[in-house]
Amino acid sequence: AYGKPWYAWEWLADVILAIVHQYTGLNGVVLWANLTFAFTFTFLFRWTVHRGGNILVCALFSSLAGVAASVHWLARPHLFTMLLLLLWYFVLDKVQEGGDAKWLWCLPGMALIWANLHGGFVVGLILLAIFALGNYLTSITSNDAEIRKKSRILAGLFISVLLLCLLISLINPYGWGLHKHIFDAYVGTSHLLDNINEFRSPSFHVTAIKFFELLLLSGFFILAVSRTRLSFIDIGLLLFWTHMALFSARHIPLFAIIVAPILTRLFTCYFSSLVTDINVNPWARKIAKNFNDYARNILKFDNQFQSYLYPVSSTLFMVVLCLNQGYLGSVKVLDRGFDPKEVPVEAAEYLEKNKLKGNLFTTDQWGGYLIYRFHPRYPVFFDGRSDMYGEDFLKEYLGLINLEHNWKSILDKYQIAWLLLPVSSPLPSALKEVEAWKVVYDDHRSIIFVRKAAHQ
């Protein structure tokens, strides 16, 4: 794909992480990822508490949301989208609940930054559309004239901000071409979505997905017992994000961020209603009352500790440690790197010494690591930027990886001189049966084949 146009829709995130990496190495990248993730779900917890949620319920669903999001605990630019989606949601909810509408005008500035950080800025526009539609439906169905008037005003505001944010998002290196590329790559075709693991529907046999399942089932239970009527906005958010999370595992963290505040509010209201409901058995009312009283006591205790000294000081300590390349005095206490069980670290050491020549073939997951380690010495066949390579090329890649009938012709077509593969994939077994290929390296996790003619 050398010379092919590439939409670097994460260019600003790339610049930020490049600066972090330049001064702190992978230690700093890992620290950035952990701080961003931690701040996101800490803010989620504090926000739900300040909305009036029972602090125990807030802690439960914020924690559950964070663990459900573990399917995407990766040091990648999507972490910016998780944080910005939460802040975006916070602003919309604040205005919806009667806050100052001026809060809305910080969204265009966020849209400008978001559109250059990560392609996930589209979900912010969708969130605005859901709030606008929810208010419009309320304005035509409510019996209360005051509510109808308020909802019409809010619907108009949200639509206006949506259009402005859409225009602002065009301020990027590609203009409207970025939006077209996102549509063509992820909406206009299903081939990429069907063949890239993170875009596939979640497998409930995976451990991390079970926390998403627990959050989902908790939602069904709470909706069944809740006595609070859902707004059109709540319904829209629940339907859209449940669909997106079931459609693609990649969207589970965003589902968790959106759904957790709704479930927290409904469950808090449910426990409050049990205390005063005369139709509920006295023992149940007593349990609910004790639970609420205990939560209030914890909240009072928690409010006594508003200092940010400890989190700020510990964060600064980690930043200084990373800037010092992980050294505390003369002892290296922090040394983050790539996991040899996940990427071919040891095989890369072999490549450093032997400097193989010719066209390389490796998997898309390993292609990115080889770019990081060797660019520009070894141009890769394929890497994680599947939207750049396109559907036709992806089919050829999969045809080779999956040993389809034409797999040998693909090696010849691209004049592959050597391959670096996981030993667990089917291709190494097939290559061992072909006279033209020879094994030159095997560490039982990764294996390197070279064409005998090329090797000679």
Side-chain angles (χ1 to χ4, degrees):
Y2 180 78
K4 187 175 182 179
W6 172 42
Y7 285 83
W9 51 20
E10 301 169 347
W11 74 268
L12 183 56
D14 292 340
V15 170
I16 293 171
L17 293 180
I19 294 171
V20 171
H21 183 274
Q22 179 179 354
Y23 291 102
T24 62
L26 289 177
N27 288 334
V29 175
V30 171
L31 178 61
W32 161 81
N34 279 279
L35 287 177
T36 305
F37 196 90
F39 181 79
T40 299
F41 288 93
T42 300
F43 184 86
L44 176 64
F45 168 70
R46 300 308 308 178
W47 174 36
T48 52
V49 169
H50 284 297
R51 289 173 95 214
N54 180 301
I55 191 170
L56 297 176
V57 176
C58 295
L60 171 65
F61 282 106
S62 297
S63 301
L64 188 56
V67 181
S70 66
V71 296
H72 230 178
W73 277 358
L74 301 167
R76 286 168 47 179
H78 71 274
L79 294 181
F80 285 120
T81 282
M82 290 169 59
L83 176 58
L84 287 170
L85 176 67
L86 177 59
L87 297 177
W88 195 279
Y89 187 19
F90 166 77
V91 170
L92 294 181
D93 182 78
K94 191 172 186 67
V95 174
Q96 181 66 36
E97 295 302 315
D100 193 341
K102 291 180 181 178
W103 276 85
L104 280 176
W105 303 112
C106 69
L107 296 185
M110 289 174 61
L112 175 62
I113 297 171
W114 198 353
N116 289 279
L117 278 173
H118 188 248
F121 72 91
V122 173
V123 299
L125 303 179
I126 293 173
L127 211 62
L128 269 166
I130 291 174
F131 271 76
L133 178 60
N135 277 286
Y136 172 73
L137 292 175
T138 301
S139 73
I140 63 175
T141 58
S142 176
N143 290 325
D144 189 313
E146 189 64 29
I147 292 178
R148 289 200 304 270
K149 179 181 177 182
K150 176 189 173 184
S151 298
R152 279 196 300 271
I153 293 172
L154 285 174
L157 273 174
F158 289 136
I159 285 291
S160 299
V161 176
L162 169 60
L163 294 175
L164 180 58
C165 289
L166 181 59
L167 288 173
I168 291 291
S169 69
L170 296 175
I171 304 176
N172 66 77
Y174 314 103
W176 69 273
L178 175 61
H179 302 67
K180 181 179 183 299
H181 178 70
I182 292 173
F183 181 87
D184 291 343
Y186 298 107
V187 180
T189 176
S190 63
H191 192 75
L192 292 179
L193 303 183
D194 293 339
N195 289 284
I196 305 299
N197 284 336
E198 65 182 290
F199 287 105
R200 290 176 178 171
S201 297
S203 170
F204 289 93
H205 296 280
V206 177
T207 301
I209 302 296
K210 294 186 183 298
F211 293 98
F212 161 62
E213 181 184 14
L214 184 57
L215 190 60
L216 196 62
L217 295 177
S218 298
F220 290 147
F221 171 77
I222 292 171
L223 290 174
V225 301
S226 175
R227 304 171 186 187
T228 304
R229 183 176 178 179
L230 293 177
S231 68
F232 283 116
I233 294 174
D234 291 335
I235 294 170
L237 293 174
L238 290 171
L239 288 177
F240 178 79
W241 286 106
T242 300
H243 162 73
M244 294 302 294
L246 292 174
F247 180 78
S248 170
R250 182 187 177 98
H251 296 118
I252 288 175
L254 306 184
F255 163 86
I257 287 169
I258 294 295
V259 168
I262 298 175
L263 298 185
T264 299
R265 174 171 54 84
L266 294 177
F267 212 34
T268 297
C269 292
Y270 174 68
F271 272 106
S272 296
S273 68
L274 289 179
V275 176
T276 57
D277 191 344
I278 60 174
N279 295 316
V280 175
N281 283 330
W283 65 267
R285 292 203 303 270
K286 183 177 180 180
I287 290 175
K289 183 179 183 302
N290 290 339
F291 180 78
N292 289 337
D293 290 344
Y294 184 61
R296 278 192 289 270
N297 289 335
I298 291 179
L299 181 60
K300 289 178 183 178
F301 181 76
D302 181 68
N303 287 336
Q304 297 176 25
F305 301 92
Q306 294 297 324
S307 172
Y308 295 99
L309 175 63
Y310 293 124
V312 170
S313 58
S314 59
T315 298
L316 289 176
F317 171 76
M318 291 302 298
V319 169
V320 172
L321 188 63
C322 289
L323 287 170
N324 198 37
Q325 305 307 314
Y327 283 94
L328 185 60
S330 60
V331 180
K332 196 173 185 69
V333 296
L334 192 63
D335 187 18
R336 301 306 302 167
F338 290 95
D339 185 352
K341 296 179 181 180
E342 299 292 334
V343 292
V345 175
E346 295 174 3
E349 298 297 332
Y350 173 86
L351 294 175
E352 285 278 11
K353 296 176 182 178
N354 292 272
K355 297 179 174 57
L356 298 181
K357 297 180 180 180
N359 291 340
L360 152 73
F361 177 86
T362 191
T363 64
D364 58 337
Q365 294 96 335
W366 287 7
Y369 170 72
L370 293 183
I371 291 173
Y372 172 82
R373 182 76 182 263
F374 294 113
H375 179 79
R377 187 190 308 172
Y378 295 127
V380 301
F381 182 85
F382 193 60
D383 61 73
R385 295 168 292 180
S386 51
D387 58 293
M388 176 188 72
Y389 288 95
E391 182 177 335
D392 293 338
F393 193 83
L394 177 60
K395 288 179 180 178
E396 289 188 302
Y397 166 77
L398 293 173
L400 179 52
I401 284 290
N402 296 325
L403 292 178
E404 294 182 4
H405 65 92
N406 62 336
W407 69 273
K408 292 182 182 179
S409 64
I410 296 173
L411 288 174
D412 295 335
K413 175 182 176 180
Y414 291 100
Q415 300 178 352
I416 301 299
W418 59 285
L419 304 93
L420 171 59
L421 300 166
V423 294
S424 58
S425 65
L427 187 52
S429 298
L431 286 170
K432 287 179 180 180
E433 303 300 321
V434 180
E435 181 65 25
W437 294 95
K438 176 182 178 180
V439 176
V440 296
Y441 176 85
D442 184 354
D443 62 16
H444 305 295
R445 281 192 292 265
S446 56
I447 187 169
I448 298 176
F449 291 85
V450 298
R451 282 190 190 268
K452 289 183 177 179
H455 190 56
Q456 296 169 355

